[in-house]
Amino acid sequence: DGGITQSPKYLFRKEGQNVTLSCEQNLNHDAMYWYRQDPGQGLRLIYYSQIVNDFQKGDIAEGYSVSREKKESFPLTVTSAQKNPTAFYLCASTPVAGEGQETQYFGPGTRLLVL
Amino acid sequence: AQSVTQLGSHVSVSEGALVLLRCNYSSSVPPYLFWYVQYPNQGLQLLLKYTSAATLVKGINGFEAEFKKSETSFHLTKPSAHMSDAAEYFCAVSQGGKLIFGQGTELSVKP
């Protein structure tokens, strides 16, 4: 079955630690996205990538980093510079980059908690 | 910049009653609009989308939404609520291939 997988489902971060959230898709989609979800704030865009080896900052990129070395993978690293990382993180992809009418397909999410 | 406003962070209806979730957008050009549903601790699932083909859009699970340009609205409705409709609903507008989301509306369904 085609889809988007995110791992782990739950992740715990200690003070000063960097952690990496995995996002993989086998849909052959060009564009991939990372969102952060906090209660009552909807989804906010962290980073997005429209093509391999290229990515752009979203609205809340500070304290996060990404890479896009392969079309199917878009990992997100939450660095120690992100002082309030506790949130639900969602990865999404869309078939064609830049086409506004394209549906974004979402993974099941990773919940990040701070110890 | 485009924005989306969902009126009411929490809506409660009785089973069998009409569901109405409100969404207003700001856009200087004809928008692409989306409604997504999220069940607890899960990702988002597309309910329906407006891409200018027809103003009344039908989606999954009996939901539909009407695009009203004069009111800059894209409200989501369902004639008869079911217990399984309890979830959080997000309206979104497309901007440069990215989605701008509203704050979400949590729908509760009472038996």
Side-chain angles (χ1 to χ4, degrees), chain A residues 34-48:
Chain A
W34 273 107
Y35 294 91
R36 170 178 170 141
Q37 184 178 16
D38 296 280
Q41 295 193 46
L43 279 72
R44 293 179 291 168
L45 183 64
I46 305 173
Y47 269 98
Y48 64 104

Side-chain angles (χ1 to χ4, degrees), chain B residues 14-54:
Chain B
S14 297
E15 192 173 19
L18 172 72
V19 175
L20 171 60
L21 304 182
R22 300 178 188 273
C23 173
N24 288 88
Y25 66 92
S26 68
S27 174
S28 58
V29 297
Y32 298 119
L33 294 158
F34 303 78
W35 274 102
Y36 283 87
V37 61
Q38 184 183 35
Y39 299 99
N41 293 311
Q42 294 186 26
L44 276 65
Q45 179 184 6
L46 180 72
L47 275 177
L48 49 80
K49 66 179 179 182
Y50 168 75
T51 59
S52 76

Side-chain angles (χ1 to χ4, degrees), chain A residues 31-106:
Chain A
M32 297 185 74
Y33 307 81
W34 273 107
Y35 294 91
R36 170 178 170 141
Q37 184 178 16
D38 296 280
Q41 295 193 46
L43 279 72
R44 293 179 291 168
L45 183 64
I46 305 173
Y47 269 98
Y48 64 104
S49 168
Q50 296 183 322
I51 195 170
V52 174
N53 291 323
D54 189 36
F55 48 83
Q56 287 78 41
K57 293 181 179 180
D59 300 318
I60 56 164
E62 185 174 352
Y64 300 97
S65 66
V66 293
S67 64
R68 185 87 186 276
E69 297 177 0
K70 299 185 296 183
K71 187 176 184 177
E72 59 270 25
S73 178
F74 191 41
L76 173 73
T77 296
V78 184
T79 74
S80 57
Q82 173 50 246
K83 297 307 180 187
N84 183 25
T86 297
F88 192 51
Y89 290 86
L90 288 159
C91 179
S93 70
T94 193
V96 179
E99 294 290 331
Q101 70 271 30
E102 290 285 346
T103 298
Q104 286 193 16
Y105 297 86
F106 285 80

